[in-house]
Amino acid sequence: MSGETPKKLRDTFKKKLEAAKNLEALEEVRLDFLGKKGNITANLKLLSTYPIDVRKELGAELNKLRMAIIDDLTKKKEGLEKEVLLEKIAGEFEDLTLPTLREDKGCVHPITQVKSELANIFSKMNFTVEEGPEIETDFNNFTALNIHDSHPARQSHDTFYINERDENSLPFLLRTHMSTVQIRTMKRDKKPMRMISMGRCYRSDYDSTHTPMFHQIEGLVIGPNITMGNLKWCLQNFLSIFFEVEKVSMRLRPSYFPFTEPSAEVDIGCKRTKENLMIDDYDEWLEILGCGMVHPNVLRSCDIDPEEFQGFAFGCGIDRLAMLKYGIPDLRTFFETDKRWLEHYGFKSLDVPGFMLGEKA
Ligand code: PHE
């Protein structure tokens, strides 16, 4: 190839560049000029055949031209790529009506679910939902509830004690039942009152139906003419709604609690098949909760005059309610934080503000 002047080379390049309308054509132009056999490359090779002074001048010009060509090619390439992209976007159709991908949001634990259900049921009966601390005084957990120092119930509660002591020099403890919140609320609020409290309680116990930490719901109604009849109606209503049956079969069995008099244990009628436990029909009784009329000593320890007000109270394991309603056989699995268990027994959150009622996952 004979040498071409840099000016001529530049003019041919400009024309060809102008003519290149797509990326493939542009690549051809690049090869024509900068490729191994390209024009510029060939002319640079020819340089060695020229005398030194020509070589110097022409070499510098050719190199300048080469840089300018690289520059032009890069700019044009960017422009063409942008055009291709815009064309592609213009041809695409975005369907904005398609549903979004559901995020993996985790599940509602059966305990949380049952607590929401209970709060819902009792708030419709005008009960307030009260809270209290898990670390309690000996007074609130025992003495105020008519369980004195020497009372055997203190032993049967298998209490966890804490090293620190309260103002009566008695060790603090982890509450063994939710009755502590009843005491706190009775001392604090105006009477008459209706309340439930739900939360964690602790006793040193461990088998398929007992864990050292468990959940209880306790209810309390204080008023001027409260009777066992009110108690029975309240429980029947609650259990029927909770187990989603028209009217749960129920019996009160005489029992003993230091804080209620008379006291009773409540059984509900049920029928067991191989896989299921049914509550709408029955051939056997299942113990479900403890209850009774609040003992006058308990009222007195909360500055309530037993002549003026009476009350009923009940207490029930939330974990047990969840096991029965949702067919979960072993209590210990509730607290093993196994994600597969939760995906099986948990509930999808419906994102309902306020009460977090889920739907079966
Ligand atoms: N506090 C009792 C318990 O934990 C339950 C109970 C509450 C019984 C209220 C009767 C009345 O065992």
Side-chain angles (χ1 to χ4, degrees):
M1 188 190 281
S2 64
E4 283 179 71
T5 64
K7 186 179 171 322
K8 200 164 166 239
L9 278 172
R10 182 183 302 118
D11 289 348
T12 2
F13 171 73
K14 289 272 177 202
K15 257 186 232 146
K16 287 201 172 177
L17 186 75
E18 180 83 40
K21 294 290 178 227
N22 56 40
L23 286 166
E24 291 79 43
L26 189 71
E27 177 62 6
E28 263 172 46
V29 178
R30 188 186 72 82
L31 290 172
D32 269 1
F33 286 84
L34 304 176
K36 263 195 197 148
K37 292 176 188 153
N39 264 332
I40 299 287
T41 326
N43 275 286
L44 283 170
K45 273 187 193 153
L46 274 179
L47 279 179
S48 58
T49 62
Y50 297 138
I52 182 93
D53 49 338
V54 183
R55 201 190 301 171
K56 245 185 169 176
E57 202 183 320
L58 191 61
E61 263 187 83
L62 279 172
N63 266 324
K64 220 170 116 194
L65 178 62
R66 190 172 161 271
M67 296 316 285
I69 287 179
I70 292 178
D71 232 33
D72 285 354
L73 283 169
T74 315
K75 273 195 202 118
K76 177 113 187 191
K77 191 172 177 216
E78 281 170 7
L80 285 173
E81 276 172 350
K82 203 170 162 190
E83 265 174 41
V84 170
L85 188 68
L86 289 175
E87 213 174 291
K88 199 174 156 218
I89 291 174
E92 268 174 9
F93 168 65
E94 289 225 25
D95 187 353
L96 298 179
T97 64
L98 280 176
T100 53
L101 293 176
R102 204 190 150 94
E103 264 176 79
D104 185 7
K105 280 195 183 137
C107 298
V108 176
H109 193 284
I111 297 289
T112 314
Q113 167 71 15
V114 168
K115 275 171 76 180
S116 315
E117 292 177 17
L118 294 171
N120 249 343
I121 294 172
F122 281 100
S123 57
K124 285 198 183 111
M125 291 196 264
N126 282 335
F127 282 64
T128 60
V129 181
E130 305 294 344
E131 290 186 355
E134 290 172 29
I135 295 177
E136 265 293 3
T137 59
D138 187 276
F139 181 83
N140 285 343
N141 197 83
F142 292 126
T143 312
L145 286 153
N146 202 31
I147 311 174
H148 294 284
D149 290 353
S150 53
H151 203 290
R154 282 188 182 241
Q155 274 79 56
S156 71
H157 276 218
D158 297 316
T159 314
F160 289 110
Y161 286 96
I162 286 170
N163 280 340
E164 257 147 81
R165 286 172 186 267
D166 63 22
E167 70 228 30
N168 300 318
S169 305
L170 292 168
F172 283 105
L173 48 85
L174 295 180
R175 68 182 173 201
T176 62
H177 50 181
M178 289 305 288
S179 309
T180 54
V181 183
Q182 302 187 352
I183 297 298
R184 286 171 177 271
T185 316
M186 275 192 280
K187 280 201 277 195
R188 187 194 64 205
D189 285 359
K190 275 221 311 268
K191 276 45 84 177
M193 52 179 275
R194 306 173 191 195
M195 57 147 289
I196 56 162
S197 55
M198 297 186 285
R200 296 190 193 107
C201 308
Y202 302 83
R203 291 183 199 181
S204 178
D205 222 345
Y206 190 69
D207 59 38
S208 69
T209 51
H210 295 90
T211 47
M213 186 279 297
F214 58 101
H215 298 80
Q216 262 195 347
I217 171 172
E218 290 215 356
L220 172 76
V221 172
I222 300 286
N225 293 304
I226 300 295
T227 67
M228 287 287 273
N230 301 126
L231 168 63
K232 194 176 171 202
W233 178 87
C234 178
L235 292 178
Q236 190 140 41
N237 197 37
F238 143 52
L239 293 169
S240 305
I241 299 173
F242 180 75
F243 287 113
E244 297 170 20
V245 293
E246 181 108 13
K247 191 174 175 204
V248 84
S249 314
M250 192 178 104
R251 73 173 184 191
L252 293 176
R253 207 167 11 88
S255 184
Y256 171 78
F257 298 106
F259 29 86
T260 45
E261 183 58 39
S263 303
E265 255 154 324
V266 173
D267 299 334
I268 54 171
C270 66
K271 196 171 184 163
R272 267 179 238 259
T273 64
K274 243 194 198 148
E275 300 93 40
N276 282 322
L277 178 87
M278 280 154 343
I279 312 277
D280 50 352
D281 191 10
Y282 72 97
D283 55 16
E284 64 177 294
W285 294 105
L286 187 75
E287 188 190 314
I288 187 113
L289 56 83
C291 63
M293 300 303 291
V294 182
H295 196 291
N297 287 349
V298 176
L299 294 172
R300 275 184 215 109
S301 62
C302 298
D303 298 322
I304 298 174
D305 178 0
E307 299 299 322
E308 193 183 355
F309 289 113
Q310 300 80 47
F312 70 72
F314 60 89
C316 179
I318 296 177
D319 322 82
R320 185 163 163 71
L321 288 175
M323 287 167 83
L324 286 172
K325 182 163 175 179
Y326 296 113
I328 311 173
D330 192 328
L331 176 60
R332 291 169 294 199
T333 58
F334 276 68
F335 312 119
E336 280 168 359
T337 62
D338 186 335
K339 210 169 159 251
R340 293 161 307 172
W341 182 90
L342 192 56
E343 271 157 13
H344 182 75
Y345 287 113
F347 295 78
K348 272 189 245 155
S349 162
L350 289 183
D351 295 334
V352 181
F355 290 120
M356 201 176 51
L357 266 181
E359 109 195 343
K360 197 77 190 79

